[in-house]
């Protein structure tokens, strides 16, 4: 268990204290030091960069935060939204990036499954973690946030499912923060050949209006013929800055269904990549976003077809109210050898107020000549005729809008096979819808 | 409802001149023109461009990305490609202190 770190900015002194407080293998310490150097060298992202020109982080200052500080002993963490009515095979909870709780059914640990705090498991299984951590899915040099994460990640979760093991019930991981807390959790999921599992991940703040910082990363390594269902619900408090790099590597004839729910945070900037690296890989990405007040969510997605005969299908849907803003920039990239690629991406936005704003920027970069790649994007306002019709059936205006929004998200909801996820997303969105005159 | 927040000294900003300032976690542009102070969002309503980095032409500011013009006194969008006004904020000068109150 790492010691408590005093929060006083990301400085050389606090970084050295942080390293000293951890008993980690030499290779990991070297990796952290290299990333820390990079963090100090790299500039803040520039608004001249295409990736950042629609996302203004000038009011974000690293100096207002520091390395994660443990919450007061005995702090209670409420269960996650995605756990309601689900029979789980295991779960982990972190609070301010510190492992808070962890359990896995015995039969799965006997089968060789590892599920728990990455902090501890990196010490118990260093070679396994070393093989995958930052090796293929996550680039510590990508930008300043990636470098900070690589240097200072703490807490987080490792899930390892050995060859051929199929876990029949979902696993759940919750990352929570206190008001003003910092989360630098790293998620590493490794599925060996033919493994199968569903992992429900979610974030939350103990105070719904709480402030905080998350600089995180997710690495999903899906081996040949493996199958992963991964749900990632971001429900931080309304004052949290959220920066994340998330990538899946999907091998031969493997499949991943990746569902994103983006509801919280004052500003979220996420790079979500899927790399289809083995022939026959199959990827489905679903996104549900709901924003309010001055929230700003920015998602950059990349479907990278590196091998032939792969399929990727991305559907992101966003509903916006108040003065919120959603930016989605999606790219399907097809390498020269990736013939018979079938790639699709779509982004729909529903504006509940005229002063909200959605930017959809789909893109294709195709270097093979026998592929099918298509994309689409729509933005529109709630149709007054639909509202009028609902009201003639006895619904109030708020109920009518809620019905229209539910219908808008139905297309994504139909693609999610886990009922608790469908219900949790619908309830979370429904709760946020306001009365409009 | 936000209150007035002191953001600069009169002597910080030459006349004519402009500067970006942070008010309640938001960046806005403060102008000093003809002895008067004005304040608008640092956001071009066309593409979110940073107006504070644009060139000033009299009482107009020109977005550095696509050339949309806004009236710094009112936030009014004057030319395409901006079709919506940007927000204007109230400015108060007390002695040497310039304060801004964000619009809701």
């Amino acid at each position: 268990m790492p010691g408590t770190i005093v929060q006083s900015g990301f400085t050389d002194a606090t970084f050295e204290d942080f390293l000293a407080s951890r008993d980690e293998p030499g290779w990991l310490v070297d990796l952290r030091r290299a990333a820390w150097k990079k963090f100090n060298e790299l500039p803040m992202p520039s608004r001249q960069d295409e990736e950042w020109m629609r996302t203004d982080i000038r009011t974000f200052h690293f100096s207002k935060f520091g390395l994660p500080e443990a919450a007061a002993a005995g702090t209670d963490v409420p269960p996650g939204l995605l756990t309601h009515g689900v029979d789980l095979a295991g779960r982990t909870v972190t609070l301010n990036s510190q492992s808070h709780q962890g359990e896995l059914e015995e039969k799965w640990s006997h089968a060789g499954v590892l599920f728990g705090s990455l902090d501890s498991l990196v010490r118990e299984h260093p070679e396994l973690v070393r093989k995958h951590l930052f090796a293929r899915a996550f680039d510590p040099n990508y930008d300043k946030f990636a470098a900070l994460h690589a240097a200072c990640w703490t807490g987080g979760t490792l899930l390892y499912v050995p060859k051929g093991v199929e876990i029949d019930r979902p696993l759940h991981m919750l990352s929570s923060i206190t008001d003003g807390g910092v989360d630098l959790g790293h998620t590493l999921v490794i599925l060996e050949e033919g493994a199968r599992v569903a992992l429900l991940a979610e974030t939350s703040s103990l105070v719904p209006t709480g402030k905080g910082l998350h600089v995180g990363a997710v690495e999903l390594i899906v081996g040949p013929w493996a199958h992963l269902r991964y749900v990632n619900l971001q429900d931080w408090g309304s004052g949290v800055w959220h920066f994340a790099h998330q990538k899946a590597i999907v091998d031969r004839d493997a499949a991943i269904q990746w569902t994103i729910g983006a509801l919280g945070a004052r500003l979220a900037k996420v790079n979500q990549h899927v790399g289809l690296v083995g022939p026959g890989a199959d990827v489905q990405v679903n996104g549900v976003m709901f924003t309010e007040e001055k929230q700003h969510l920015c998602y950059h997605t990349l479907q990278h077809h590196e091998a032939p005969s792969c399929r990727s299908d991305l559907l992101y849907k966003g509903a916006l109210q108040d003065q919120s803003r959603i930016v989605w920039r999606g790219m399907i990239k097809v390498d020269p050898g990736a013939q018979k690629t079938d790639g699709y991406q779509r982004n729909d936005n529903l504006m509940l107020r005229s002063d909200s704003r959605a930017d959809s920027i789909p893109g294709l970069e195709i270097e093979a000549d026998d592929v099918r790649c298509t994309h689409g994007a729509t933005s529109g306002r709630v149709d007054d005729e639909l509202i009028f019709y609902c009201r003639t059936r006895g619904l109030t205006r708020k109920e009518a809008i809620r019905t229209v929004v539910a219908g808008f998200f139905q297309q994504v909801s139909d693609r999610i096979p886990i009922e608790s996820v469908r219900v949790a997303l619908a309830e979370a969105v429904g709760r946020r819808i306001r009365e409009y005159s | 409802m936000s209150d007035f927040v002191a953001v600069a000294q009169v002597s910080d900003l030459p006349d004519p001149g402009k500067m970006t300032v942070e008010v309640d976690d938001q960046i806005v542009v403060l102008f000093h023109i003809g002895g008067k102070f004005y304040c608008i969002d640092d956001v071009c309503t066309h593409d979110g461009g940073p107006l504070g980095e644009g060139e000033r032409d009299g009482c107009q500011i020109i977005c550095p990305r696509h050339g949309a013009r806004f009236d710094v006194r009112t936030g009014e969008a004057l030319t395409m490609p901006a079709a919506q006004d940007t927000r204007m904020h109230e400015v108060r000068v007390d002695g040497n202190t310039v304060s801004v109150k964000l619009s809701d």
Side-chain angles (χ1 to χ4, degrees):
Chain A
M1 183 81 180
T4 301
I5 305 298
V6 176
Q7 204 171 92
S8 55
F10 295 99
T11 63
D12 286 340
T14 56
F15 179 67
E16 288 302 329
D17 288 349
F18 167 76
L19 282 185
S21 72
R22 305 172 71 85
D23 173 27
E24 289 181 333
W27 62 267
L28 184 52
V29 175
D30 293 346
L31 214 151
R32 288 189 186 277
R33 285 196 187 281
W36 179 254
K37 185 167 176 280
K38 197 75 190 170
F39 167 67
N40 285 306
E41 285 167 5
L42 285 168
M44 282 298 276
S46 159
R47 294 198 76 197
Q48 310 299 321
D49 296 344
E50 172 66 26
E51 195 173 319
W52 290 92
M53 64 169 29
R54 295 167 192 85
T55 300
D56 188 353
I57 55 166
R58 284 176 295 171
T59 55
F60 170 76
H61 305 288
F62 278 113
S63 57
K64 287 187 181 171
F65 300 95
L67 284 150
E69 193 178 74
T75 306
D76 192 35
V77 181
L81 295 172
L82 300 177
T83 59
H84 294 192
V86 194
D87 185 15
L88 296 169
R91 61 197 205 109
T92 63
V93 179
T94 63
L95 180 60
N96 289 359
S97 249
Q98 315 282 323
S99 178
H100 193 71
Q101 233 176 329
E103 58 198 40
L104 173 68
E105 261 184 2
E106 217 168 272
K107 72 169 178 177
W108 300 117
S109 42
H110 286 319
V113 175
L114 303 174
F115 183 57
S117 164
L118 186 56
D119 273 335
S120 334
L121 290 170
V122 74
R123 284 188 281 270
E124 292 164 25
H125 304 274
E127 290 315 311
L128 171 72
V129 175
R130 185 180 191 178
K131 186 176 163 197
H132 296 284
L133 186 75
F134 307 162
R136 296 163 77 197
F138 173 74
D139 176 8
N141 301 322
Y142 186 85
D143 62 15
K144 201 170 179 72
F145 294 100
L148 175 68
H149 176 79
C152 302
W153 69 265
T154 175
T157 300
L158 169 71
L159 168 62
Y160 171 76
V161 187
K163 183 176 174 180
V165 174
E166 298 189 12
I167 301 180
D168 55 2
R169 279 165 299 134
L171 300 167
H172 182 263
M173 48 180 273
L174 172 65
S175 307
S176 200
I177 56 172
T178 53
D179 191 8
V182 175
D183 180 277
L184 303 177
H186 187 87
T187 301
L188 177 60
V189 176
I190 306 157
L191 268 62
E192 297 282 17
E193 197 176 305
R196 190 181 184 95
V197 69
L199 176 61
L200 314 179
E202 64 183 292
T203 67
S204 69
S205 292
L206 297 184
V207 179
T209 53
K211 295 180 177 175
L213 170 66
H214 167 79
V215 181
V218 174
E219 296 185 281
L220 310 173
I221 316 292
V222 188
W225 297 283
H227 188 284
L228 174 64
R229 283 208 171 101
Y230 180 64
V231 177
N232 190 351
L233 173 63
Q234 184 271 100
D235 194 20
W236 296 121
S238 56
V240 175
W241 298 88
H242 174 87
F243 301 98
H245 290 271
Q246 307 173 342
K247 184 169 179 180
I249 300 281
V250 190
D251 215 322
R252 168 184 284 271
D253 293 316
I256 180 171
Q257 186 195 50
W258 188 346
T259 301
I260 294 247
L263 304 171
R266 64 174 285 177
L267 180 142
K269 164 72 171 58
V270 178
N271 290 67
Q272 186 202 16
H273 293 185
V274 285
L276 299 96
V277 302
D282 189 352
V283 169
Q284 187 191 73
V285 181
N286 305 309
V288 169
M289 298 187 225
F290 190 90
T291 53
E292 57 188 346
E293 295 175 354
K294 290 181 183 169
Q295 261 185 295
H296 180 112
L297 300 185
C298 177
Y299 275 74
H300 285 242
T301 63
L302 172 65
Q303 297 150 258
H304 189 180
H305 286 256
E306 300 176 43
S309 307
C310 295
R311 181 177 159 275
S312 70
D313 176 6
L314 178 144
L315 173 64
Y316 262 48
K317 288 182 95 95
L320 304 89
Q321 58 185 3
D322 308 326
Q323 294 164 18
S324 63
R325 184 170 181 189
I326 292 176
V327 179
W328 169 75
R329 184 164 168 261
M331 177 66 75
I332 298 178
K333 188 172 189 304
V334 182
D335 286 353
Q339 302 292 12
K340 305 289 182 193
T341 285
D342 181 359
Y344 183 63
Q345 59 176 347
R346 182 182 176 91
N347 174 226
D348 296 323
N349 289 302
L350 181 66
M351 331 279 274
L352 302 176
R353 281 279 297 267
S354 59
D355 35 8
S356 56
R357 177 181 173 126
D359 295 76
S360 289
I361 311 158
L364 302 173
E365 196 179 314
I366 300 171
E367 294 185 77
D369 58 6
D370 183 13
V371 303
R372 183 174 69 176
C373 291
T374 45
H375 59 195
T378 66
S379 289
R381 298 197 56 189
V382 177
D383 188 341
D384 285 338
E385 275 194 29
L386 286 179
I387 302 295
F388 178 74
Y389 174 76
C390 291
R391 298 199 68 182
T392 64
R393 313 303 294 177
L395 301 186
T396 64
R397 185 171 174 81
K398 187 172 181 178
E399 287 166 340
I401 291 175
R402 195 173 288 194
T403 305
V404 170
V405 171
F408 172 73
F409 283 124
Q410 193 64 39
Q411 200 182 353
V412 178
S413 182
D414 286 345
R415 289 161 51 131
I416 304 171
I418 305 168
E419 194 185 349
S420 73
V421 177
R422 286 199 301 267
V423 171
L425 283 174
E427 280 181 3
V429 167
R431 258 202 325 269
R432 286 167 159 85
I433 293 173
R434 271 192 258 289
E435 180 86 67
Y436 293 108
S437 53
Chain B
M1 199 68 181
S2 57
D3 290 322
F4 279 98
V5 176
V7 295
Q9 300 292 302
V10 171
S11 49
D12 292 340
L13 192 54
D15 184 359
K18 65 176 164 57
M19 66 192 285
T20 52
V21 292
E22 194 175 324
V23 185
D24 293 344
D25 284 342
Q26 197 180 316
I27 304 281
V28 293
V29 198
L30 187 67
F31 296 90
H32 190 185
I33 302 169
K36 289 189 173 172
F37 283 86
Y38 307 99
C39 184
I40 60 173
D41 269 359
D42 185 28
V43 176
C44 172
T45 53
H46 163 238
D47 192 30
L51 293 179
E53 293 170 22
E55 271 184 44
R56 192 185 51 79
D57 179 10
C59 284
Q60 298 178 10
I61 185 77
I62 306 167
C63 178
R65 288 199 188 153
H66 303 97
R69 285 171 178 256
F70 294 86
D71 190 321
V72 305
R73 297 167 295 188
T74 60
E76 186 187 356
L78 301 170
T79 64
M80 291 296 276
Q84 265 186 319
D85 299 345
T86 198
R87 286 194 312 163
M88 183 266 287
H89 308 286
E90 213 176 317
V91 184
R92 190 172 69 190
V93 181
D94 290 322
N96 196 32
T97 305
V98 185
S99 306
V100 168
K101 181 181 174 185
L102 292 182
S103 309
D104 288 324

